[in-house]
Amino acid sequence: MTHYNRSSHETKVRDITPQRLVYYRDNWYLDAWCHWSEGLRSLAVDSLEQVVILPDPALELDEAALEVELAAGYGIFSGAEVQWALLRFTPERSRWVQAKVWHPQKQGQRDEQGRYCLKLPYTQSQELVMDILRHVDQVEVLEPRGLRREIQATAQRLAALYQK
């Protein structure tokens, strides 16, 4: 298949073995084994430019193996190396975010000041950062330090846009 990567603005031809289709946040994704990178990938269906059926037999992966790799982290992004984010929401925002299904393994509790502290796994930060930024000044990233720095850098770029 020919796949267009929006992040890198590159088009690549890859041999894949489709495993399943996933509907997530108003988009369809194809979970597939990529023979070129020798790993599982979630590909946006609308980024597939050309698909050719090959005569080779398909590689069929166990559903449990798919879940370990693709459902370990937050959102649609996959990866086996899981990190844990600790977020603290203001008491006002806590009423909304506490009820949200962030991840099946999320852990959350209110502190003595009524703030909601949420701990959840992620493997790649892109989608988590977008969801954190939805809450602008009503959330603070406490851990890990790298995610906190990523939010700080994004906030600085945003502030620079409005200083003009």
Side-chain angles (χ1 to χ4, degrees):
M1 60 97 197
T2 304
H3 174 254
Y4 172 66
N5 185 316
R6 290 180 188 101
S7 297
S8 65
H9 193 55
E10 295 178 332
T11 300
K12 293 184 179 177
V13 176
R14 297 176 183 238
D15 288 351
I16 63 165
T17 302
Q19 299 297 314
R20 64 186 180 185
L21 281 171
V22 176
Y23 188 71
Y24 180 74
R25 291 191 179 190
D26 297 327
N27 292 300
W28 283 99
Y29 293 88
L30 174 64
D31 290 342
W33 178 263
C34 177
H35 297 275
W36 180 73
S37 62
E38 296 186 356
L40 286 167
R41 299 291 181 262
S42 287
L43 307 165
V45 171
D46 66 352
S47 68
L48 304 179
E49 296 180 345
Q50 182 180 16
V51 177
V52 176
I53 298 174
L54 300 175
D56 304 330
L59 173 67
E60 196 169 330
L61 299 177
D62 180 59
E63 183 70 25
L66 291 172
E67 286 299 310
V68 166
E69 178 79 15
L70 299 173
Y74 181 78
I76 198 72
F77 294 103
S78 63
E81 191 174 319
V82 176
Q83 297 183 73
W84 286 83
L86 179 59
L87 314 176
R88 184 172 58 204
F89 295 88
T90 63
E92 296 78 21
R93 187 59 56 142
S94 295
R95 294 188 291 267
W96 282 271
V97 298
Q98 187 171 356
K100 182 180 185 238
V101 179
W102 289 78
H103 189 275
Q105 295 177 356
K106 79 170 186 172
Q107 303 164 20
Q109 64 183 21
R110 286 191 178 258
D111 67 12
E112 62 281 348
Q113 294 158 340
R115 299 173 299 189
Y116 184 64
C117 297
L118 173 66
K119 188 172 185 178
L120 68 156
Y122 71 100
T123 56
Q124 297 182 40
S125 64
Q126 298 98 312
E127 189 172 357
L128 181 56
V129 166
M130 288 188 295
D131 283 345
I132 290 168
L133 293 174
R134 289 180 60 222
H135 302 285
V136 287
D137 64 342
Q138 301 287 306
V139 61
E140 180 184 4
V141 175
L142 302 176
E143 297 174 0
R145 187 178 307 269
L147 180 61
R148 184 177 173 92
R149 281 195 299 264
E150 188 173 348
I151 295 293
Q152 287 172 332
T154 302
Q156 289 169 350
R157 289 190 304 274
L158 179 63
L161 285 175
Y162 289 94
Q163 291 177 356
K164 296 176 184 177

